[in-house]
Amino acid sequence: METLISWAIDVALVLLVVSLAWRALASTDLFKAIVLFIAFGLVLTLVWVRLNATDVALAEAAIGAGVTGALLLAAYAKLRATSPDAIVDRAGGISGIGAISLLILILLVAAALGYAVWTLPSDYAGLGKEVAANLDQSGVSNPVTAVLLNFRGYDTLLEIMVLLLALLGAWSLGITIPRPEAAPGLVLDTLSRLLVPLLILVAAYLLWVGAHAPGGAFQAGAVLAAAGVLMLLSGRELPAALATWPLRLALVLGPATFLMLAVITLILEGRVLKLSPEWAGRLILIIETTATISIGVTLTALFMGAPPGEEDR
């Protein structure tokens, strides 16, 4: 009975994910498409939970559905304010050859993924055994954190650098997101005052618990960014004293720390980001702390759309 219920839940999730994805792509209403995309991210979070990938589920909920959804809504608000005709022009949606081509592409990707999974050996365990065998030398007890910050730390370094490059690209466009001119209502103001401190505490917890349980820098940084976005939506602005070099310092703190450690390990150990077992735990905590700050500030700055002060130029 439990197996049947489990299969029913999995089938329902698969159908729901496919349906939401197709409706988001084919929707003729941009706002509706964004809402469907956010719903798709939330359902996909449940899929990752069903696959026992809790770390990925946290990242999907915080970044894929949360922060990305906020960025899309901010872009929609900017588009509606500057080019309302662009929203109307999409009334045709995806049809004809475009829809058929998109459907064929989706089916080909699904078939390739299905074939890859189907052809795996029945006893295939991935790199789980190798990770478990070397976990004691990683400095942490969470295998996901060990892989991301120790065994393949350069991948995480590149991801943080890509995030910073995305912000620099957004800043180069000089596009600002419309700010609410009126004072926030009682509900929004109260929620922001209650939720922002709570979100900061949750971010700190996810950062700390990432060493031995699902969590880590990206999840903590995304929650920290949610606090920043909520403050921006409630009409609060970055103080002028923090809008210059402190902001830039927070943006580069994580990548700079990562790069500095990469150079030091290359000189001392002969390999990039080869962390010695006796120092690995402390170094990973330093990397994740600085990365959390940079990720949170970068995602919040992406939502702002332009460097503070650009609106007055």
Side-chain angles (χ1 to χ4, degrees):
M1 186 63 181
E2 293 182 0
T3 304
L4 182 61
I5 294 176
S6 179
W7 271 94
I9 293 174
D10 292 339
V11 171
L13 285 175
V14 170
L15 294 177
L16 190 56
V17 165
V18 174
S19 174
L20 288 172
W22 178 257
R23 292 183 64 186
L25 290 171
S27 176
T28 59
D29 188 324
L30 280 178
F31 181 77
K32 181 180 178 181
I34 294 173
V35 173
L36 288 170
F37 173 81
I38 296 174
F40 167 81
L42 294 176
V43 176
L44 192 59
T45 300
L46 298 178
V47 173
W48 287 119
V49 172
R50 290 289 300 167
L51 293 173
N52 294 322
T54 312
D55 291 87
V56 183
L58 287 172
E60 176 62 36
I63 301 176
V67 177
T68 305
L71 289 173
L72 290 175
L73 289 174
Y76 174 81
K78 178 64 178 179
L79 183 62
R80 187 176 59 180
T82 58
S83 304
D85 294 337
I87 299 178
V88 179
D89 290 342
R90 197 176 185 262
I94 302 176
S95 59
I97 299 177
I100 295 176
S101 301
L102 181 60
L103 180 60
I104 292 175
L105 179 61
I106 293 174
L107 291 176
L108 288 175
V109 173
L113 291 174
Y115 176 78
V117 174
W118 183 265
T119 55
L120 286 175
S122 58
D123 57 344
Y124 179 75
L127 297 176
K129 293 182 179 179
E130 287 76 6
V131 173
N134 295 278
L135 196 59
D136 294 338
Q137 302 179 15
S138 67
V140 293
S141 57
N142 182 12
V144 176
T145 303
V147 172
L148 295 179
L149 274 301
N150 194 326
F151 303 150
R152 295 183 63 88
Y154 46 85
D155 286 347
T156 306
L157 170 60
L158 293 176
E159 291 173 1
I160 296 177
M161 295 300 295
V162 167
L163 193 60
L164 181 59
L165 290 174
L167 175 63
L168 294 177
W171 278 6
S172 67
L173 297 176
I175 299 176
T176 59
I177 303 301
R179 298 285 184 271
E181 298 180 357
L186 178 61
V187 175
L188 180 57
D189 184 65
T190 304
L191 280 176
S192 64
R193 293 179 184 276
L194 292 176
L195 289 179
V196 168
L198 179 61
L199 288 173
I200 294 175
L201 288 175
V202 172
Y205 171 76
L206 288 174
L207 170 63
W208 179 258
V209 81
H212 53 83
F218 276 92
Q219 292 85 345
V223 174
L224 196 62
V229 170
L230 183 58
M231 292 181 66
L232 292 175
L233 291 176
S234 61
R236 294 176 174 82
E237 297 182 356
L238 188 67
L242 300 178
T244 54
W245 68 265
L247 175 63
R248 271 69 175 179
L249 177 61
L251 291 172
V252 303
L253 183 61
T257 303
F258 228 140
L259 281 173
M260 181 176 64
L261 184 61
V263 173
I264 292 175
T265 53
L266 179 61
I267 295 174
L268 298 180
E269 302 289 343
R271 288 177 57 186
V272 175
L273 295 174
K274 181 182 179 181
L275 308 181
S276 59
E278 59 270 17
W279 287 96
R282 299 181 183 91
L283 292 176
I284 287 177
L285 180 59
I286 293 174
I287 293 174
E288 289 213 299
T289 302
T290 56
T292 296
I293 296 173
S294 292
I295 291 171
V297 175
T298 302
L299 292 176
T300 305
L302 276 171
F303 182 81
M304 294 172 64
E310 286 290 318
E311 298 90 342
D312 302 330
R313 296 183 182 179

